Amino acid sequence: MADAPYIAGVDIGGTKVACVLADEEGNILARRWQLTRAQEGWQTVVSQLFEMTEQVLEGVPRQQVRGIGISCGGPLDSQQGIVYSPPNLPGWDAVPIKRIFEERFGLPVRLENDANATALAEHCFGAGRGTRNMVFMTWGTGIGGGLILDGRLYRGTNDLAGEIGHTTVLLDGPLCGCGKRGCLEALASGPAIARRARELAEASPESGVWQRTSPDAVTAQHVVESAMEGDTFARFVLAEAATYMGIGIANLAQILNPERVVLGTIAVKAGELVLEPLRRALEVHAWSRVRQVLEVVPAQLGDRAQDLAGVCLWLAD
Ligand SMILES: [Zn+2]
């Protein structure tokens, strides 16, 4: 079945779950999605996934299906196919999702964390096409990473490679969700941007951000929207976060010497408003010969990334 034309992709998120059937060119032939009934426990979510997977596989002979690829938030064990308590999936503790799917569908199953799977998707079909050494970084609620080195996904010893969001970029900096201080994620993620705007609210009463929302309710989205309208304060807050992102990427580039870094959500939405300060930080913190070969670009796949993430597990080895 290694050259079977179809692949099923499963995306398990805390907000939504989706299943697709695709071909090896990345064309989506069938798609189902539902809101994740995460609070009802893992068994309920698995039954949602079974239902949707059955629907996308309906009428397709099993020998035409190469396998099922599952993309899920970590921590997880990709070799054993076990998911360990992702923060957005309460009650998932050592769920053997690979075996559960294999038994149900009689097809081979691969499991990968969502950042790695999305990195493969951007590498196969998006902004990372044609590269040998590429880093994909999610940049939204969290900052995660997937490393494609020498054309292959690099997982590390126990699936923890690429956790760029939890490298330290500021000594004694703000507390991170992981328990450390000064992590990149605590300084540059969406919630970090919102926190910084809130901290500086009293000093910026005239900012357009405060015409949109109150300091209690501010999100990174409000800051990005105001910055796009030219608001000086919002641009300052975004540039500060982007500078930390630039430092994080410079550290990464000094170690891995990649040819492309592909950035998710915030870079896609804010574009040059974040890429310009980010590149300035790179100029300060990375060697010119490292920068010479390095492009930093926004991701290209948008919502398709999640659909293709699981599928791509069967397109790479
Ligand atoms: Zn952290």
Side-chain angles (χ1 to χ4, degrees), residues 165-166 176 178 180 183:
H166 303 284
C176 181
C178 78
K180 300 198 299 149
C183 290

Side-chain angles (χ1 to χ4, degrees), residues 18-142:
C19 296
V20 300
L21 186 74
D23 64 19
E24 59 190 359
E25 271 84 51
N27 300 303
I28 305 294
L29 309 167
R31 180 174 195 271
R32 295 286 184 282
W33 74 276
Q34 296 178 11
L35 294 173
T36 313
R37 288 153 65 187
Q39 298 305 326
E40 295 171 44
W42 69 267
Q43 291 91 341
T44 301
V45 178
V46 166
S47 68
Q48 290 185 281
L49 297 169
F50 278 177
E51 185 190 332
M52 292 187 293
T53 305
E54 259 157 27
Q55 288 169 348
V56 301
L57 288 173
E58 202 179 303
V60 183
R62 285 293 193 270
Q63 64 270 25
Q64 298 276 296
V65 182
R66 198 173 301 181
I68 300 174
I70 303 176
S71 162
C72 183
L76 53 76
D77 180 333
S78 63
Q79 291 303 304
Q80 302 294 322
I82 297 172
V83 177
Y84 294 102
S85 356
N88 57 357
L89 293 168
W92 288 57
D93 189 16
V95 176
I97 196 81
K98 175 178 151 79
R99 183 168 54 77
I100 290 172
F101 263 78
E102 281 174 347
E103 283 172 4
R104 173 65 175 245
F105 293 100
L107 286 165
V109 175
R110 290 179 180 174
L111 171 71
E112 196 59 68
N113 83 54
D114 48 6
N116 283 354
T118 309
L120 285 170
E122 287 288 342
H123 186 244
C124 284
F125 298 117
R129 256 174 312 181
T131 59
R132 199 160 62 91
N133 298 308
M134 175 206 120
V135 179
F136 169 72
M137 290 175 74
T138 61
W139 189 7
T141 310

